[in-house]
């Protein structure tokens, strides 16, 4: 042979070869090189590059973990907040808090503050005790907690009592609320265990087996009776990597350890609220807005960076520390806002009534106006004797009991009736404008019973409405319209909007705006010293133009629960339409009807809202309104509220006069979208009078032939699954002839669906502590 040749076998033909690979032999060599799949790493040093890339990722993760560990366990780290929560009323967490604070103090003396800087453990700790039975205080403490230590008692198991007594009803309610808000790191401290080691070990195992299902899988159980057991817990707590809910890491916040107010001489009724504490989560900018829990959104006029009052310093003299306490905290630096960069405090849009299109009246409108003026002039007016025509023109008549105006005016007044008047004619709607403060106990109980009856009727006969006999249906239901298909029929979201929509704001693209706003957090963390305060600094916020009444209430509340000043992101002070995924809480028995006043806890923010509930249709841009929030299923609650960016948890509370607040519903924020269409459906029902195969005479849906002709274009359907249309009226009492797509049964019910768009109600009071 002239030379050796390498044998090349034909490649195997697979069933799943692509069309390009089957015809690659028909192309030229240059085209083959272009369409061939490139290698994963085409360069010669690809393996070294991969190894280098993996090493860089490992180094970055190691540096991030090391930075977090130094920030959480160093001498300048933030005080870790431990909240002690008793699972039952018989547990005494106050004694446990005193033991922990005494152990952390240098000389084991009685604690004078809830925050202690321990030179032994090289850690700063704040210990709070959640008061059993006070739901609001427990919620606010759980929002700022780095670690929730649930305290259980082992005496139940020792006495032979059922293990279900470890947690009472209030403890279970708070546990469900904590889960809805997002649990931080958790532990369970078991108290009242016997001294015998074997018996103690057995009782601890029984306690773990009975309580493990109530807590996360990584939750650990510690005995907490002796000093050695608490010592072991504190060393593990120091080295533990704590986790916080995701929503808490998106905004800077300050838990106020000291609250004070300074009167504003320039503006009566206003004052400056002073809140001192540590900056957490992110750097705090002097130019951003803040939300004070329960009081509202405000601007900052100054931030004072103070000397840290809880330093870990073994050589610090006690007399020097006492001198600092007497003289007050030293101001290290003060920041003032930049008017050109400060976020404006804009809550509502100011509508311009002259911004619309101006048109001249038509000749018909001018003729109608002249005729109305002539009728007013010809109308006889009762005046005192001796009064001239000029004097009579200035006398205003009392026309409350008279019917002035034409029939068309009365018709327009009925069509443009208020939405609540429209709903009050329905069987299932109850007037909710009554003030609970002016009602007796018997009247309040009667109103609650009416709501319960309406709730039961709505579950049994949803959306069914009786046509009134004395009012024509075309006037009574003038706002409603029929839809050929609820899913595919079009509905303009900008059509006939209420006046409240002129006061709110909307986004062109909510998701894009959210990404843009959240990206500014990194810029704030890298901001200059003259604009931002670093995380871990002890500062005093000067919040300006706070109402004196609200500031006085905050000063009183600060003695029992933590007050939080949360930094707001861009646009978060403006009003819009928010949508929450919501579910009724298991512990709340009373019905929750639409547009009922509720207190919304959304993250650190609190505001009052009157939501409208609706279903969530995935394949449609229209959503059906629900008159009540039914238990056991999720709904969407739409409210007028300040803009917020998800993720944020929702706790909806019902507050009645003279009663403790109760948890009504839980959920989470979805988005802000004023264009979400919520339709209220009503069903008019009729009954077959005579049936002839596909045709039937239906009565009692309407009461006059004009209404039948008015609603003739709307399709009808039956409860047994037939669909049809109205053909013509029969007689003079509102009966009509209908044609169906199948044989109609005599016992069937004929229905007609009508829809109108509904909106949430504007709250009369925006914040719970506002006037």
């Amino acid at each position: 042979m002239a030379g050796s040749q390498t044998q090349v076998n034909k490649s195997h033909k697979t069933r799943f070869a692509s069309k390009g690979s089957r015809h690659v032999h028909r192309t030229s060599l240059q085209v083959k090189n272009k369409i061939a799949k490139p290698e994963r790493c085409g360069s010669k040093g690809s393996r070294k590059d991969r190894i280098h890339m993996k090493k860089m990722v490992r180094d970055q993760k190691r540096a991030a973990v090391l930075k977090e560990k130094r920030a959480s366990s160093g001498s300048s780290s933030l005080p870790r907040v431990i909240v002690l929560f008793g699972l039952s009323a018989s547990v005494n967490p106050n004694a446990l808090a005193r033991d922990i604070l005494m152990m952390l103090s240098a000389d084991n003396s009685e604690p004078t503050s809830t925050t202690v800087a321990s030179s032994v453990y090289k850690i700063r700790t704040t210990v709070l005790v959640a008061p059993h039975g006070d739901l609001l205080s427990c919620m606010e403490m759980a929002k700022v907690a780095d670690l929730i230590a649930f305290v259980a008692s082992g005496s139940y198991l020792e006495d032979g009592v059922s293990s279900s007594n470890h947690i009472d009803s209030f403890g279970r309610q708070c546990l469900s609320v904590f889960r809805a808000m997002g649990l931080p790191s958790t532990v369970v401290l078991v108290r009242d265990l016997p001294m015998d080691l074997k018996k103690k070990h057995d009782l601890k195992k029984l306690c773990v087996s009975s309580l493990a299902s109530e807590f996360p899988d990584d939750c650990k159980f510690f005995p907490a009776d002796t000093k050695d057991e608490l010592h072991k817990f504190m060393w593990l707590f120091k080295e533990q990597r704590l986790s916080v809910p995701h929503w808490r890491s998106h905004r800077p916040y300050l838990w106020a350890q000291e609250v004070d107010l300074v009167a504003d001489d320039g503006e009566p009724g206003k004052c400056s609220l002073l809140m001192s504490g540590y900056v957490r989560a992110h750097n705090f900018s002097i130019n951003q807005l803040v939300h004070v829990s329960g009081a509202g959104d405000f601007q900052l006029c100054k931030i004072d960076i103070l000397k840290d009052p809880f330093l870990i310093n073994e050589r610090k003299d006690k007399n020097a520390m006492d001198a600092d306490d007497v003289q007050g905290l030293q101001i290290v630096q003060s920041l003032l806002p930049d008017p050109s960069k400060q976020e404006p405090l804009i809550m509502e849009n100011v509508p311009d009534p002259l911004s619309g299109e101006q048109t001249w009246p038509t000749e018909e409108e001018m003729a109608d106006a002249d005729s109305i003026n002539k009728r007013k002039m010809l109308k006889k007016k009762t005046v005192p004797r001796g009064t001239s025509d000029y004097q009579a023109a200035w006398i205003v008549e009392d026309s409350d009991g008279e019917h002035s105006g034409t029939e068309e005016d009365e018709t327009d007044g009925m069509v443009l009736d208020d939405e609540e008047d429209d709903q009050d004619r329905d069987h299932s709607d109850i007037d909710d404008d009554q003030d609970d403060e002016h009602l007796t106990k018997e009247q309040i109980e009667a109103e609650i019973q009416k709501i319960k009856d309406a709730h039961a009727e709505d579950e049994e006969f949803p959306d069914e409405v009786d046509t009134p006999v004395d009012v024509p249906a075309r006037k009574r239901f003038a706002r409603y319209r029929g839809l050929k298909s609820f899913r595919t029929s079009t509905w303009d979201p900008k059509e006939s909007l209420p006046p409240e929509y002129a006061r709110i704001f909307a986004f062109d693209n909510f998701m894009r705006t959210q990404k843009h706003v959240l990206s500014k957090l990194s810029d704030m963390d890298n901001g200059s010293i003259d604009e931002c305060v670093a995380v871990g600094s002890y500062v005093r916020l000067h919040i300006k133009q706070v109402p004196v009444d609200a500031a006085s209430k905050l000063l009183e509340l600060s003695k029992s629960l933590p007050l939080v000043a949360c930094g707001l992101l861009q646009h978060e002070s403006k009003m819009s339409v928010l949508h929450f995924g919501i579910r009724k809480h298991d512990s709340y028995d009373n019905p929750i009807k639409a547009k009922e006043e509720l207190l919304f806890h959304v993250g650190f923010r609190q505001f009052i809202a009157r939501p409208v509930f609706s279903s969530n249709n995935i394949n449609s841009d229209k959503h059906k309104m629900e008159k009540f929030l039914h238990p056991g299923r999720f709904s969407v609650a739409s409210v007028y509220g300040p803009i917020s960016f998800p993720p944020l948890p929702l706790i909806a509370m019902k507050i009645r006069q003279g009663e403790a607040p109760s948890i009504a519903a839980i959920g989470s924020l979805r988005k802000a979208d004023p264009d979400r269409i919520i339709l209220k459906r009503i069903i008019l029902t009729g009954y077959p009078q005579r049936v002839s195969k596909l045709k039937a005479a239906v009565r009692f849906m309407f009461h006059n032939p004009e209404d039948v002709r008015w609603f003739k274009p709307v399709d009808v359907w039956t409860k047994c699954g037939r669909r049809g249309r109205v053909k013509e009226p029969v007689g003079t009492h509102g009966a009509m002839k209908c044609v169906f797509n199948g044989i109609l049964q005599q016992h069937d019910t004929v229905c007609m669906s009508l829809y109108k768009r509904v909106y949430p109600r504007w709250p009369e009071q925006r914040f719970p502590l506002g006037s």
Side-chain angles (χ1 to χ4, degrees):
M1 297 179 62
S4 62
Q5 294 182 355
T6 305
Q7 180 179 354
V8 179
N9 298 326
K10 188 177 181 181
S11 60
H12 180 68
K13 294 182 179 180
T14 61
R15 292 171 51 200
F16 305 104
S18 63
K19 185 181 295 184
S21 62
R22 289 199 300 267
H23 299 288
V24 72
H25 65 281
R26 299 181 181 178
T27 60
S28 62
L29 184 60
Q30 291 80 6
V31 180
K32 284 182 182 179
N33 294 333
K34 291 182 180 180
I35 67 176
K37 293 184 179 179
E39 296 181 3
R40 185 169 296 179
C41 295
S43 60
K44 287 186 177 180
S46 59
R47 183 172 179 273
K48 293 183 179 180
D49 293 342
R50 292 198 304 269
I51 294 174
H52 182 64
M53 184 66 67
K54 291 179 180 179
K55 184 178 181 299
M56 288 178 59
V57 172
R58 284 197 306 269
D59 292 343
Q60 290 176 359
K61 290 183 179 179
R62 187 181 295 111
V65 172
L66 189 61
K67 181 181 178 181
E68 182 182 356
K69 188 175 181 180
R70 287 174 178 172
S72 62
S73 61
S75 60
S76 61
S77 61
L78 284 167
R80 292 189 170 190
V81 181
I82 302 177
V83 175
L84 301 179
F85 179 81
L87 293 176
S88 62
S90 61
V91 180
N92 185 14
N94 293 299
L96 179 59
R98 186 174 62 254
D99 294 343
I100 293 176
L101 291 175
M102 288 179 61
M103 186 180 63
L104 291 174
S105 60
D107 52 356
N108 292 330
S109 60
E110 284 291 332
T112 58
S113 174
T114 57
T115 302
V116 176
S118 175
S119 58
V120 178
Y121 296 94
K122 298 292 190 297
I123 190 174
R124 297 190 291 180
T125 308
T126 301
V127 181
L128 302 177
V129 178
H132 197 84
D134 190 350
L135 185 59
L136 280 176
S137 297
C138 293
M139 284 178 52
E140 294 301 316
M141 289 183 181
K143 291 178 182 179
V144 299
D146 295 320
L147 176 76
I148 299 182
F150 296 96
V151 186
S153 176
S155 60
Y156 291 112
L157 296 175
E158 187 179 8
D159 298 338
V161 188
S162 173
S163 62
S164 61
N165 292 320
H166 276 297
I167 309 177
D168 57 8
S169 60
F170 179 78
R172 294 187 183 278
Q173 183 185 25
C174 286
L175 265 177
S176 63
V177 173
F178 294 164
R179 293 192 199 99
M181 291 192 304
L183 275 174
S185 298
T186 57
V187 296
V188 178
L189 302 180
V190 185
R191 301 272 285 181
D192 305 329
L193 291 175
M195 297 300 296
D196 185 36
L197 294 179
K198 186 177 184 307
K199 200 171 183 180
K200 175 187 287 190
H201 182 68
D202 294 340
L203 289 181
K204 182 190 171 185
K205 287 181 65 176
L206 287 175
C207 184
V208 171
S209 62
S210 61
L211 293 177
S213 61
E214 301 289 342
F215 302 102
D217 296 335
D218 58 347
C219 182
K220 296 182 180 180
F221 290 73
F222 296 94
D225 285 321
T226 63
K227 186 176 181 180
D228 293 337
E229 292 169 348
L230 292 178
H231 178 75
K232 180 182 178 182
F233 162 69
M234 288 306 303
W235 276 111
L236 293 175
F237 169 66
K238 176 192 173 183
E239 299 297 331
Q240 183 181 3
R241 183 182 179 185
L242 301 179
S243 62
V244 296
H246 186 54
W247 60 268
R248 204 194 294 180
S249 61
H250 282 179
R251 295 162 186 81
Y253 67 96
L254 178 143
W255 164 49
Q257 295 183 339
E258 294 181 8
V259 181
D260 199 0
L261 58 91
V262 177
D264 190 356
D265 298 333
E267 191 170 355
K270 303 286 185 178
C271 67
S272 294
L273 184 66
L274 308 183
M275 301 179 66
S276 303
Y278 290 95
V279 177
R280 299 174 184 268
H282 288 279
N283 292 354
F284 219 119
S285 175
I286 182 63
N287 296 318
Q288 68 180 141
L289 301 177
V290 296
H291 175 84
V292 182
S293 299
D297 304 336
F298 304 98
Q299 286 181 324
L300 295 173
C301 60
K302 188 169 67 170
I303 294 181
D304 293 332
I305 303 177
L306 307 178
K307 184 179 179 181
D308 199 325
F310 303 102
L311 289 175
I312 302 176
N313 190 357
E314 299 179 358
R315 299 180 181 178
K316 184 173 181 179
D317 188 9
K318 185 177 180 180
N319 296 329
M321 182 175 62
D322 295 339
D324 289 344
D325 294 338
V326 172
Q327 296 176 1
L329 295 176
Q330 180 182 358
I331 298 178
V332 179
Q333 185 183 1
S334 295
L335 304 183
L336 297 177
D338 186 356
S340 61
K341 298 181 181 180
Q342 190 173 23
E343 188 78 16
L345 185 59
I346 300 175
M347 296 185 180
E348 298 181 14
N349 189 17
V350 180
D352 186 6
L354 301 179
S355 62
E357 182 182 359
Q358 303 295 320
T359 57
W360 290 100
T362 61
E363 295 182 359
E364 296 179 357
E365 293 175 346
M366 296 179 65
D368 292 339
D370 293 338
S371 62
I372 293 174
N373 291 332
K374 288 180 180 179
R375 284 197 297 269
K376 289 182 178 180
M377 294 175 63
L378 294 175
K379 185 177 178 181
K380 188 175 181 181
K381 184 182 295 186
T382 304
V383 296
R385 182 176 297 178
T387 305
S388 63
D389 295 338
Y390 177 78
Q391 293 172 335
W394 292 91
I395 298 177
V396 180
E397 240 185 350
D398 186 11
S399 59
D400 290 341
E402 300 178 2
H403 294 281
S404 60
T406 60
E407 184 179 353
E408 289 79 12
D409 296 334
E410 295 178 2
T411 304
D412 293 340
M414 189 173 297
V415 171
L416 300 177
D417 198 4
D418 186 64
E419 183 172 335
E420 276 305 304
D421 294 335
D422 194 1
Q423 291 184 353
D424 285 342
R425 297 173 185 264
D426 298 347
H427 262 313
S428 60
D429 288 326
I430 310 230
D431 186 15
D432 57 353
D433 290 334
Q434 297 183 6
D435 193 357
D436 292 341
E437 297 182 359
H438 302 290
L439 296 179
T440 62
K441 184 178 180 180
E442 292 77 9
Q443 290 175 334
I444 293 176
E445 291 178 354
E447 289 295 324
I448 293 175
Q449 187 61 38
K450 287 181 181 179
I451 296 175
K452 289 183 177 179
D453 296 341
H455 181 267
E457 185 179 357
D458 181 66
E459 285 187 337
E460 186 176 2
F461 305 104
D463 304 326
E464 290 192 16
V465 175
D466 294 333
T467 306
V469 180
D470 54 342
V471 180
R474 61 186 182 276
K475 296 180 180 180
R476 169 65 184 85
F477 305 118
R479 293 183 177 183
Y480 292 83
R481 68 180 70 171
L483 293 178
K484 190 74 175 178
S485 172
F486 186 85
R487 184 178 64 87
T488 60
S489 297
T490 59
W491 195 297
D492 187 7
K494 307 295 185 183
E495 175 187 359
S496 302
L497 296 176
E500 289 81 9
Y501 265 54
R503 303 164 62 180
I504 65 175
F505 295 84
F507 297 105
D508 291 336
N509 191 321
F510 179 75
M511 299 301 295
R512 184 176 59 195
T513 305
Q514 179 181 355
K515 290 181 181 179
H516 175 68
V517 170
L518 293 179
S519 65
K520 292 185 178 180
L521 280 176
S522 59
D523 299 339
M524 190 183 300
D525 291 338
N526 300 326
S528 64
I529 304 176
D530 297 335
E531 294 183 3
C532 299
V533 181
V535 177
S537 304
Y538 192 84
V539 301
R540 181 189 294 126
L541 302 181
H542 295 254
I543 305 171
K544 66 179 181 180
Q545 294 185 349
V546 181
V548 176
D549 296 339
S552 302
K553 294 177 183 177
L554 289 172
L555 195 61
E556 186 66 26
L557 288 174
S558 63
K559 302 175 182 178
S560 59
L561 55 87
L563 295 181
V564 178
C566 171
L568 299 180
L569 303 178
Q570 189 181 11
H571 308 302
E572 284 197 329
S573 66
K574 302 172 183 176
M575 296 289 288
S576 186
V577 181
L578 307 182
H579 306 286
F580 297 87
I582 194 171
R583 176 178 63 86
K584 189 176 180 181
H585 197 260
D586 298 335
S587 63
Y588 194 76
D589 299 328
N590 295 330
I592 304 176
K593 63 175 180 176
K595 300 183 182 179
E596 185 175 350
E597 190 174 276
L598 297 174
L599 175 60
F600 275 36
H601 287 252
V602 183
F604 289 118
R605 310 183 76 175
Q606 302 177 23
F607 58 88
I608 296 175
R610 308 185 73 172
V612 58
F613 306 118
S614 61
S615 60
N616 187 25
N617 296 330
I618 301 177
N619 58 350
S620 175
D621 61 342
K622 295 175 287 297
H623 310 273
K624 179 180 171 297
M625 173 192 166
E626 297 177 351
K627 298 177 184 177
F628 291 89
L629 185 61
H630 295 287
R633 65 187 184 193
F634 273 92
S635 299
V636 177
S638 303
V639 300
Y640 289 117
I643 293 173
S644 300
F645 296 102
L648 282 173
L650 166 67
I651 306 294
M653 306 186 70
K654 179 63 181 177
I655 300 179
R656 296 188 182 275
Q657 189 71 20
E659 297 182 6
S662 55
I663 301 295
I666 58 177
S668 61
L669 175 63
R670 293 191 173 182
K671 62 177 179 178
D673 183 16
D675 291 339
R676 189 177 189 270
I677 300 174
I678 304 173
L679 299 182
K680 177 185 177 182
R681 183 182 71 173
I682 61 171
I683 298 176
L684 307 181
T685 56
Y687 305 95
Q689 184 179 13
R690 293 184 302 274
V691 177
S692 176
K693 294 184 179 180
L694 303 182
K695 299 179 182 179
V698 181
R699 59 178 178 174
F700 300 145
M701 182 178 291
F702 303 107
H703 302 290
N704 56 75
E706 288 78 8
D707 289 341
V708 176
R709 297 187 185 95
W710 180 268
F711 291 99
K712 182 180 178 181
V714 184
D715 293 341
V716 295
W717 53 276
T718 70
K719 292 185 177 181
C720 290
R722 299 287 182 261
R723 303 194 67 86
R725 58 183 178 85
V726 180
K727 193 172 182 181
E728 59 185 7
V730 178
T732 59
H733 295 285
M736 58 184 181
K737 184 184 294 185
C738 300
V739 180
F740 297 92
N741 61 350
I743 298 176
L744 188 67
Q745 303 294 328
Q746 186 68 45
H747 64 274
D748 205 349
T749 303
V750 181
C751 305
M752 178 181 290
S753 299
L754 300 175
Y755 301 90
K756 77 168 182 179
R757 188 176 178 183
V758 294
Y759 306 89
R761 180 174 292 182
W762 194 272
E764 299 174 0
Q765 181 180 344
R766 186 173 300 173
F767 300 106
L769 296 183
S771 58

